[in-house]
Amino acid sequence: MPTMRDRFMNVSGALLDERPDLAIVLADIGFGYFAGAGVVARHPGRVLNVGIREQLLIGFAAGLAMEGFRPIVHTYAPFLVERPFEQVKLDFGHQGLGAVFVSVGASYDAAAAGRTHQAPEDVALMSTLPGWRVHVPGHPDEVEAVLRSTVADRGLDYIRLAESVNPQAVPSSGGLMPIRRGSARAATVIAVGPSLAPVLEATADLDATVLYASTVRPFEGETLRTLLGAPEVVLVEPYLAGTSSAEVSAALKDAPHRLLALGVARQEHRRYGSRWEHDRAHGLDAAGIRRSVTDFLASAA
Amino acid sequence: MQPPVMSYEDLPALMTLMTGDEKHGHASESTLDVLWVLYARVLKVDPQAPDDPERDRFLLSKGHGPMAYYAVLAATGFIPPDALPTFGRYDSMLGQHPDRALIPGVELSSGSLGHGLPIAAGVAAALDLQGRAGPRVFCLVGDAELDEGSNHEAIALAGRLGLSRLTACVIDNGSSTHGWPGGIDARFRLEGWSAATVDGRDHDAVESAVTADHQDRPHVVVAEVERRG
């Protein structure tokens, strides 16, 4: 199956053909693809490579946005969000400008590359900034849908691509999508992006309502509030554990509930290997999620 | 370009409206003369049409000490002089750093140093892409502000891209902690910029330098003023 990144690059290249106000801004990473696919040759001025200069990547893109361009800004997550975070905060939000940021690498897709190329904190950081919508697609089809919709808008969008994908896409509603309905007394499990596949496997024989989110900011809490059965809520996010806990609490502020927030642990995990091994280490594979969920539900009994 | 509503001689009194100090010398603000020359003699901007797409863009990156900027904006009709006494108040449009969302004609919200030049490079590139022949892009930075590495990312790229509509004005009051051995202008020249160094209090020299032909290269004018005490 083509990866999310493949789809992003194909679609953004096609969008450049359609939209004269669109520009792709890069810091080396990804430029080879756009050159190889002929996109640079077709639009030499609108695939802009600033070199390995990530502060400039953001500021330069903001300058384009200031003059009416809709920039798509792309690089590895730690170099897009963490290294130039003040530029993200001031050059876009504070200036009142819009952009589509697209990251690759997710929490630890580059597991063997070590900590420098891992960014489990990206969604938490972006969530501190007002106005940003944060998208965590779980399938290449979802990437195309969210890319097309955000490019057509003028706001602030962060799209987080990952190598882990779900077998099937979920049509986006912009909010929480019920994937499986449990009984009236079922616990609720919220799966974000690529977490859906292991969540469905982990809860296959449990009485649980499974909700899916591919857009986590803003967090759509009404569906959760409406479908809440038992007070037990499990939040499974493929990045820093608890990133959306406050949003769940706000959605259920008048409903007694207990929350288990699963995700990437806060301590640094000094291991290389593969993303699957890191999923296992953080309890985010199907077996780990099942273990956490069943323990949590048993503690409620 | 509209003629200034007031004159250079009015600027100290306008600054007094903000500070309450009885007297303001022109030298009290390092940026004052360059700002005045830009707005009174160089920039094609119109307070009646601050969003005209054909206007020149001016980005004040050195947002610290904006009283000179506000005085010039008042003297040239962008903001009413009676707004100046509100400087720094809770409900004022005029903060200690300028905000483009609040002040007509202000292109950049600044304060944190090192943001203006990268954005100005993007603005210049965007205007190139749009094929607009007229607008020029000016960005004012301080010599100490150049300590921020983000500026050097922008200086390098602007030189490589040949962003010829971009002019950086560096106010050099010697406040960079570790200085610039070889001179500030040399740093820009090395990256392919055209460069000039002038007396930052000499209006004719500043005007001549910022309007000098620099062909297919970005341009920097280092405006030297009194050393910071």
Side-chain angles (χ1 to χ4, degrees):
Chain A
M1 179 193 291
T3 65
M4 290 191 196
R5 193 184 193 195
D6 291 335
R7 184 69 70 89
F8 155 64
M9 289 179 156
N10 288 337
V11 173
S12 55
L15 286 168
L16 224 59
D17 297 337
E18 301 166 14
R19 288 272 302 268
D21 66 335
L22 206 61
I24 297 171
V25 191
L26 305 167
D28 273 6
I29 290 170
F31 185 78
Y33 170 84
F34 287 109
V39 181
V40 178
R42 292 202 303 279
H43 307 288
R46 290 193 287 131
V47 182
L48 293 145
N49 182 9
V50 304
I52 305 174
R53 300 181 174 100
E54 284 84 8
Q55 293 183 83
L56 177 63
L57 173 75
I58 308 302
F60 188 82
L64 294 172
M66 210 171 254
E67 294 301 328
F69 280 90
R70 180 74 165 150
I72 297 174
V73 188
H74 171 65
T75 189
Y76 250 76
F79 314 137
L80 184 62
V81 173
E82 297 175 328
R83 185 178 188 124
F85 188 67
E86 193 194 55
Q87 274 76 15
V88 178
K89 169 188 164 188
L90 296 180
D91 296 357
F92 278 98
H94 183 49
Q95 306 294 339
L97 302 172
V100 181
F101 280 27
V102 182
S103 74
V104 289
S107 292
Y108 37 65
D109 283 350
R115 173 64 169 157
T116 59
H117 284 59
Q118 299 170 6
E121 306 88 351
D122 61 339
V123 175
L125 274 171
M126 293 302 288
S127 298
T128 66
L129 301 178
W132 283 86
R133 292 175 295 228
V134 178
H135 311 279
V136 188
H139 188 278
D141 290 356
E142 297 171 28
V143 171
E144 176 160 355
V146 74
L147 186 61
R148 288 187 178 278
S149 68
T150 54
V151 161
D153 198 88
R154 304 303 295 184
L156 291 163
D157 290 278
Y158 175 54
I159 303 173
R160 181 188 212 256
L161 307 183
E163 291 187 6
S164 296
V165 298
N166 301 317
Q168 294 176 322
V170 178
S172 174
S173 66
L176 293 180
M177 286 285 291
I179 302 297
R180 196 173 70 216
R181 300 286 289 270
S183 73
R185 292 190 298 173
T188 303
V189 182
I190 303 167
V192 174
S195 300
L196 180 60
V199 162
L200 287 174
E201 182 182 340
T203 60
D205 61 345
L206 300 178
D207 182 18
T209 292
V210 176
L211 305 178
Y212 176 66
S214 60
T215 294
V216 293
R217 297 292 181 280
F219 187 88
E220 191 270 299
E222 185 56 32
T223 302
L224 172 63
R225 180 69 187 86
T226 302
L227 297 182
L228 187 70
E232 280 68 42
V233 177
V234 181
L235 173 63
V236 186
E237 298 180 280
Y239 36 79
L240 192 66
T243 293
S244 297
S245 292
E247 282 68 23
V248 170
S249 294
L252 300 178
K253 64 181 183 295
D254 56 354
H257 65 281
R258 294 197 312 136
L259 173 63
L260 171 66
L262 302 180
V264 179
R266 195 173 291 265
Q267 69 268 23
E268 184 170 340
H269 189 59
R270 291 183 183 273
R271 292 289 186 274
Y272 297 108
S274 70
R275 68 179 189 276
W276 299 285
E277 290 171 296
H278 283 250
D279 277 345
R280 218 165 22 248
H282 291 285
L284 291 175
D285 61 339
I289 293 169
R290 180 177 179 84
R291 193 164 51 246
S292 296
V293 170
T294 54
D295 287 353
F296 178 62
L297 297 181
S299 72
Chain B
M1 181 166 53
Q2 300 290 308
V5 177
M6 300 181 199
S7 71
Y8 176 73
E9 283 67 34
D10 294 318
L11 296 177
L14 291 172
M15 288 194 288
T16 293
L17 291 175
M18 286 175 272
T19 64
D21 295 343
E22 287 188 9
K23 288 186 178 178
H24 262 287
H26 287 101
S28 64
E29 294 285 336
S30 64
T31 59
L32 184 67
D33 293 271
V34 170
L35 285 167
W36 177 253
V37 170
L38 286 172
Y39 273 86
R41 301 188 185 185
V42 177
L43 292 174
K44 292 174 181 165
V45 291
D46 180 355
Q48 302 307 314
D51 298 323
D52 181 355
E54 293 302 319
R55 74 193 184 281
D56 287 336
R57 275 61 163 174
F58 172 71
L59 286 77
L60 179 73
S61 186
K62 176 181 154 57
H64 295 356
M67 287 177 291
Y69 188 36
Y70 296 155
V72 170
L73 289 174
T76 52
F78 281 92
I79 59 176
D82 61 10
L84 298 178
T86 71
F87 175 66
R89 290 185 193 162
Y90 178 75
D91 56 355
S92 176
M93 73 165 83
L94 307 176
Q96 293 181 359
H97 302 109
D99 188 333
R100 72 193 295 261
L102 301 177
I103 309 171
V106 168
E107 304 275 4
L108 180 75
S109 300
S110 56
S112 181
L113 297 172
H115 289 255
L117 202 50
I119 294 175
V123 169
L127 293 168
D128 283 352
L129 285 170
Q130 291 169 346
R132 294 188 188 280
R136 299 166 294 174
V137 181
F138 296 86
C139 181
L140 190 151
V141 300
D143 69 297
E145 182 182 8
L146 287 179
D147 290 353
E148 294 282 5
S150 54
N151 290 304
H152 298 274
E153 296 184 1
I155 291 166
L157 184 72
R160 302 302 187 286
L161 295 183
L163 298 176
S164 59
R165 71 176 78 230
L166 174 62
T167 295
C169 298
V170 181
I171 306 299
D172 181 9
N173 64 354
S175 56
S176 169
T177 298
H178 296 290
W180 297 103
I184 292 170
D185 55 353
R187 304 296 176 116
F188 286 78
R189 280 200 180 95
L190 190 65
E191 299 291 358
W193 291 54
S194 160
T197 297
V198 298
D199 177 350
R201 299 299 184 192
D202 182 333
H203 292 193
D204 291 339
V206 170
E207 180 186 7
S208 176
V210 297
T211 57
D213 179 23
H214 46 94
Q215 298 182 332
D216 57 352
R217 292 181 289 171
H219 185 50
V220 63
V221 175
V222 181
E224 295 180 329
V225 297
E226 306 77 17
R227 304 290 92 173
R228 187 177 171 198

